[in-house]
Amino acid sequence: MSLVDYPESESSDDRSSEKAGAQAANKKLKRKRSCSYNPGSMDSLKLPPLPDAFHDLYTTKPRMARTDDPRLHAGRQRSTPHIEGNWPTHVFIEWHPSKEESSHLHDVVMRASSDEVPTGSFKVHSFLKSELGTPQPLHISLSRPIGLLTDQRHSFKETFANGIKTSKFRPFQVSVKGFDWVANEEKNRWFMVLRIAQSTTHELVQLLRISNGVVAKFGQRPLYEEYPRVLYPPHGLNEDLAMKFHISIGWSLTSPPNHIENLRNMSTLDNSMFRFDVSTVKVKIGNENHRDLTPQLKGPSWLYYSFAFGLWMYSTMDNIDGKQARRTGQSSGLGELFDHGIDSLNCTLASLCETAAVGLGASPKGVFTALIPCLPMFFSTWETYHTHTLYLGYFNGPTEGLILGCTMMMLSGYYGPQIWTQPITDLIGYHGIFGNSSIIDLWIPILLFSFFVAHLPACVYNVVKARRAQNLPVVPVFLEWTPIFVFMSSSGAWLYSPHTTLLRDNRLVLFCVTMSFVFGRMTTKIILAHLTRQPFPYWTVMLVPLIGGAVLGNLPRIGLPAVSSAVELWYLRGYLVFALVVYFRWALLVINSICAYLEINCLTITRKPAPNQTIQNEKRSINGPRPGNGLSGSDIPLKSE
């Protein structure tokens, strides 16, 4: 029987012949398809990645009734009754656990359901998987389930988005500290939750206040107006708002049993693995999810172009200053001291521009990006001290590294910093290699690989080779890594501490400017020791306040109360003033001593050439030693620190 009856317009014989031809063509096409398709081949199994918006589709079941029916929801009853014509609304932060995290949490939920009560009368339903067994996202609530009228939906979303944009809210990291049980207000449902660590709830409190303010404007009850009942708090009841945030992973219609030792033991199982970054707040109205992104760490295009131009000009001047000094007969050890000393000052400053260009801001990855250039600079200086030669590989930071940095800044100016958070496969394909990863996801591994594989081994090899050539012991040189170890470990302990307020209050720029002088003093002392053939400097007094800051940011770890944001800010400001005074006093002393001894000027060209130098025309060869080889320890009477 045909689906459509066409009018009689041709003879039956013509139709029969055409029908036979069509059937033959269909058989041929089927044979061709069956031959070309191989279900077991890898090509047939590769599918393009799903877009992020796909997670927001079909997140709720279709409505089956106009009235609440607990039978449709496993016995659950609405805390906020549904009113016909209202749009259910919820503000929350969404978390997609990894496969390992989801598996671990699922095991905990299953254990709680099976181990808590031997009779099996207590059952915990999991939020981790849907009825079809697919993983589901978890969330941190920033509002109650509320109802909006149709004409309120747009204004609610706009009001909340404006509140986010006008706040100082920036991406932050959330971590958990253990499991707990929480009952709803009606005491007809109990939730198994992950408690959020208080040290990471400052931004959550800010977001909650924004959400509650918007909800109150629309005549709705704010969240946590009354403290939800905690059945078994691990350390007693705490009325602090920071204790209220949690992530529900399961629920039960019956009260948990009183013997909860198993739950307390669970709270010690790998809680450090549950950390995730928060950069998006979701507003769900009905079945629609609206992503209210945090204020974009994005500036105007000309700003990123200026970053690239400034960095390129710095690289250009850094490469021609030596030639200019040799042409004018002013080449001396002071030039090397100036050259590499300014490079040291620029390490954290140029990388701070790179941090802004890729949109990291005052975040953990931003800290890493801003401080990582100090490592190759220190080890290159350490290598030069022992080998008396600055080795630059085929791919090195001062040349190819700066070119790559300028390129990334220009791309940020043209496309915007958001290009670095897009999946790589959206840009160049190769999903089988990159998956859903973005450049930012691979950023830290790329930087670590570049340093530990492409830079550090060559430095160590050249130093060991030079020491053995001079019949000197090798092991003691590794003690010379002490200053950079103290510098990096203290900076990390301070900025990555959950008790510090520097990142939360966006003090990364102030910190990097301060560290510019601290690191500059540390490496410039090594350069001076190399020029004057003095012992390696293991220490600088400017590291002492850095160690103090690391202690200050971790006082709660040793049982002392955390300092306020104002105290920590003034400590960092005082550290900057101290670093400026110490650095420039020492710089003036060194520069004046060298200039007086060599009878040269610091920033101007004299008619008299530097010692062992002649004023050079463009066609004449260099007369005299190259920078860094013209001073000895007996030449200039300088005091070490």
Side-chain angles (χ1 to χ4, degrees):
M1 177 179 179
S2 60
L3 294 177
V4 180
D5 291 328
Y6 291 94
E8 296 284 344
S9 60
E10 299 177 352
S11 64
S12 59
D13 294 336
D14 293 339
R15 289 197 302 267
S16 300
S17 60
E18 289 179 2
K19 183 176 180 181
Q23 290 177 349
N26 288 337
K27 291 180 180 180
K28 182 177 180 181
L29 180 60
K30 289 179 180 180
R31 287 196 300 269
K32 183 176 180 181
R33 287 178 178 176
S34 63
C35 294
S36 61
Y37 177 72
N38 182 8
S41 65
M42 292 301 296
D43 293 336
S44 64
L45 297 178
K46 291 182 180 179
L47 296 175
L50 293 174
D52 292 338
F54 184 82
H55 294 291
D56 296 334
L57 298 176
Y58 312 115
T59 54
T60 57
K61 295 181 179 180
R63 188 172 179 82
M64 303 299 296
R66 293 179 177 271
T67 59
D68 295 332
D69 188 351
R71 293 176 299 175
L72 300 176
H73 307 284
R76 293 176 290 179
Q77 295 181 350
R78 291 181 182 269
S79 299
T80 303
H82 176 69
I83 301 176
E84 188 68 25
N86 281 9
W87 293 81
T89 303
H90 187 211
V91 182
F92 59 96
I93 293 171
E94 194 169 71
W95 173 40
H96 289 268
S98 65
K99 184 177 180 180
E100 293 76 12
E101 292 169 338
S102 181
S103 176
H104 178 77
L105 293 176
H106 181 73
D107 291 342
V108 172
V109 173
M110 293 299 99
R111 286 181 54 190
S113 182
S114 60
D115 297 345
E116 289 287 350
V117 179
T119 60
S121 59
F122 177 71
K123 182 178 181 180
V124 180
H125 302 265
S126 176
F127 283 127
L128 296 163
K129 294 184 178 181
S130 67
E131 294 180 351
L132 298 177
T134 57
Q136 293 191 135
L138 304 176
H139 67 268
I140 303 174
S141 291
L142 296 176
S143 77
R144 299 173 183 271
I146 60 177
L148 297 177
L149 299 176
T150 300
D151 56 356
Q152 292 179 327
R153 293 180 298 166
H154 180 73
S155 59
F156 180 89
K157 184 181 67 173
E158 291 298 323
T159 304
F160 184 80
N162 291 333
I164 293 291
K165 292 178 181 178
T166 57
S167 69
K168 294 183 178 180
F169 172 49
R170 294 179 178 273
F172 61 97
Q173 191 176 72
V174 167
S175 60
V176 303
K177 71 171 186 176
F179 298 92
D180 203 354
W181 287 104
V182 175
N184 62 0
E185 289 184 335
E186 294 78 13
K187 307 300 183 295
N188 58 12
R189 194 148 50 119
W190 286 260
F191 298 90
M192 188 178 185
V193 303
L194 285 170
R195 280 287 178 195
I196 304 300
Q198 293 186 57
S199 58
T200 60
T201 56
H202 181 271
E203 291 82 359
L204 291 176
V205 172
Q206 289 182 327
L207 289 174
L208 178 64
R209 289 171 179 167
I210 294 173
S211 178
N212 282 344
V214 175
V215 166
K217 290 181 181 179
F218 287 81
Q220 305 286 342
R221 289 180 60 195
L223 180 62
Y224 300 136
E225 184 179 46
E226 297 178 359
Y227 187 76
R229 181 172 177 237
V230 178
L231 298 180
Y232 310 114
H235 302 291
L237 186 63
N238 189 341
E239 295 292 339
D240 184 21
L241 187 63
M243 283 288 293
K244 301 179 181 181
F245 296 101
H246 59 268
I247 302 174
S248 298
I249 61 175
W251 61 275
S252 177
L253 293 175
T254 57
S255 173
N258 292 327
H259 54 287
I260 58 159
E261 289 301 322
N262 191 25
L263 182 59
R264 289 181 175 176
N265 292 335
M266 291 178 191
S267 64
T268 63
L269 295 177
D270 299 330
N271 291 322
S272 59
M273 69 183 292
F274 300 115
R275 294 176 180 269
F276 60 96
D277 296 325
V278 175
S279 60
T280 302
V281 179
K282 281 192 173 184
V283 178
K284 183 178 180 181
I285 303 177
N287 286 337
E288 296 181 358
N289 283 280
H290 304 277
R291 294 170 178 258
D292 287 311
L293 298 180
T294 62
Q296 292 289 327
L297 303 179
K298 178 182 178 181
S301 296
W302 64 262
L303 180 65
Y304 304 112
Y305 291 136
S306 70
F307 287 169
F309 177 78
L311 191 61
W312 180 254
M313 292 305 299
Y314 158 76
S315 175
T316 302
M317 297 299 178
D318 189 39
N319 282 280
I320 67 174
D321 57 356
K323 182 176 181 180
Q324 175 68 7
R326 289 187 289 274
R327 288 183 67 246
T328 57
Q330 303 298 308
S331 177
S332 68
L334 181 61
E336 180 180 353
L337 190 66
F338 249 93
D339 191 342
H340 299 301
I342 292 176
D343 290 341
S344 302
L345 290 175
N346 192 52
C347 278
T348 59
L349 301 181
S351 59
L352 196 61
C353 294
E354 189 68 31
T355 301
V358 296
L360 291 175
S363 64
K365 290 182 180 179
V367 171
F368 188 88
T369 304
L371 295 181
I372 190 65
C374 295
L375 289 175
M377 182 66 197
F378 175 86
F379 284 100
S380 290
T381 306
W382 170 72
E383 176 189 15
T384 305
Y385 174 84
H386 289 284
T387 63
H388 309 294
T389 304
L390 178 60
Y391 292 95
L392 293 177
Y394 292 104
F395 187 91
N396 58 81
T399 306
E400 287 79 13
L402 291 180
I403 293 175
L404 181 60
C406 291
T407 302
M408 296 181 68
M409 292 173 181
M410 289 189 291
L411 289 174
S412 294
Y414 188 81
Y415 295 103
Q418 63 271 14
I419 186 178
W420 310 114
T421 59
Q422 294 180 3
I424 299 175
T425 54
D426 292 352
L427 305 174
I428 62 174
Y430 298 101
H431 180 263
I433 299 176
F434 299 106
N436 293 324
S437 299
S438 64
I439 295 292
I440 291 300
D441 295 331
L442 304 176
W443 185 246
I444 292 181
I446 291 173
L447 295 179
L448 289 175
F449 178 85
S450 300
F451 172 69
F452 284 106
V453 176
H455 189 88
L456 182 60
C459 294
V460 174
Y461 173 79
N462 290 328
V463 170
V464 171
K465 182 179 178 180
R467 296 285 291 186
R468 288 177 176 173
Q470 303 173 43
N471 293 323
L472 296 174
V474 174
V475 175
V477 300
F478 296 105
L479 295 177
E480 296 167 355
W481 295 5
T482 301
I484 191 63
F485 175 79
V486 174
F487 177 83
M488 297 300 292
S489 60
S490 298
S491 298
W494 192 356
L495 292 178
Y496 288 115
S497 169
H499 308 288
T500 185
T501 60
L502 295 184
L503 295 186
R504 186 190 74 193
D505 295 341
N506 195 25
R507 309 298 181 189
L508 181 59
V509 173
L510 179 61
F511 183 86
C512 286
V513 172
T514 305
M515 292 305 105
S516 173
F517 294 101
V518 175
F519 182 73
R521 172 68 181 277
M522 187 169 65
T523 53
T524 308
K525 287 188 67 177
I526 302 175
I527 299 168
L528 183 62
H530 164 240
L531 294 174
T532 58
R533 305 299 191 267
Q534 292 181 355
F536 188 90
Y538 288 88
W539 187 253
T540 172
V541 69
M542 294 173 70
L543 289 174
V544 175
L546 183 58
I547 299 174
V551 174
L552 192 70
N554 290 275
L555 289 178
R557 297 184 186 275
I558 57 177
L560 299 176
V563 298
S564 65
S565 175
V567 170
E568 194 170 21
L569 174 60
W570 280 106
Y571 181 89
L572 183 57
R573 288 172 174 170
Y575 189 7
L576 174 60
V577 173
F578 171 77
L580 285 170
V581 172
V582 173
Y583 183 89
F584 282 107
R585 176 185 175 277
W586 178 78
L588 289 173
L589 173 65
V590 172
I591 292 171
N592 290 335
S593 298
I594 295 178
C595 289
Y597 185 81
L598 298 180
E599 298 181 355
I600 60 175
N601 293 342
C602 177
L603 299 176
T604 59
I605 299 175
T606 62
R607 292 182 178 273
K608 177 183 178 181
N612 298 323
Q613 296 283 305
T614 59
I615 298 178
Q616 169 189 321
N617 294 326
E618 292 186 5
K619 295 183 179 180
R620 296 175 61 184
S621 60
I622 299 174
N623 188 8
R626 294 180 64 84
N629 297 329
L631 298 178
S632 64
S634 60
D635 287 332
I636 303 176
L638 290 176
K639 274 191 173 183
S640 182
E641 192 173 287

